[in-house]
Amino acid sequence: ILEILVETGLIGLVLFLLLLLYGRRCLGGFAQIRNDPRRILIALFLVNTFINAMISGDLLDNRMMFAMIGLMLIGSKDREPARSGHSFALPDDEGERSSHSVSSDIR
């Protein structure tokens, strides 16, 4: 942490800590992490790469650590699959246009 403060200043340290805190928030609570093997794996990989970066070299140039933070940010959210709903107009039997909705489910 001191390395980040020295190399990037107070602003860089605050941004790094905000990134970690936001990632932790996206990962979920301890109960969610404990019950989901994917979240456990992401958290353990992040801890492993963070400790490795603190011991072995430059913390800010460790691409694997930032990749794990990225996984923590986007890989842990439970999202519904993307659904596409398109609306278009078809002529009725009388020649008038009515609105119909089409929804595709990709699974």
Side-chain angles (χ1 to χ4, degrees):
I1 302 296
L2 187 61
E3 176 184 353
I4 296 172
L5 180 62
V6 170
E7 289 184 7
T8 63
L10 190 58
I11 294 174
L13 178 65
V14 169
L15 289 174
F16 182 74
L17 291 176
L18 285 175
L19 181 67
L20 282 178
L21 290 174
Y22 183 70
R24 170 65 182 87
R25 184 173 155 223
C26 288
L27 200 56
F30 289 114
Q32 288 176 325
I33 294 171
R34 196 177 12 193
N35 294 328
D36 187 3
R38 181 183 52 173
R39 291 174 195 250
I40 292 172
L41 189 64
I42 291 171
L44 289 177
F45 275 152
L46 177 69
V47 169
N48 182 30
T49 57
F50 187 72
I51 291 173
N52 186 28
M54 288 180 68
I55 294 171
S56 66
D58 192 18
L59 187 64
L60 294 176
D61 193 34
N62 195 327
R63 290 174 183 91
M64 185 62 82
M65 183 187 67
F66 284 102
M68 291 303 120
I69 292 173
L71 279 177
M72 191 168 59
L73 291 173
I74 64 170
S76 62
K77 290 187 176 184
D78 293 327
R79 298 180 181 168
E80 289 292 319
R83 296 181 188 260
S84 174
H86 300 283
S87 181
F88 59 93
L90 290 176
D92 285 343
D93 292 335
E94 293 86 30
E96 296 179 17
R97 292 193 169 256
S98 64
S99 179
H100 296 280
S101 179
V102 173
S103 178
S104 62
D105 189 13
I106 301 171
R107 287 193 189 214

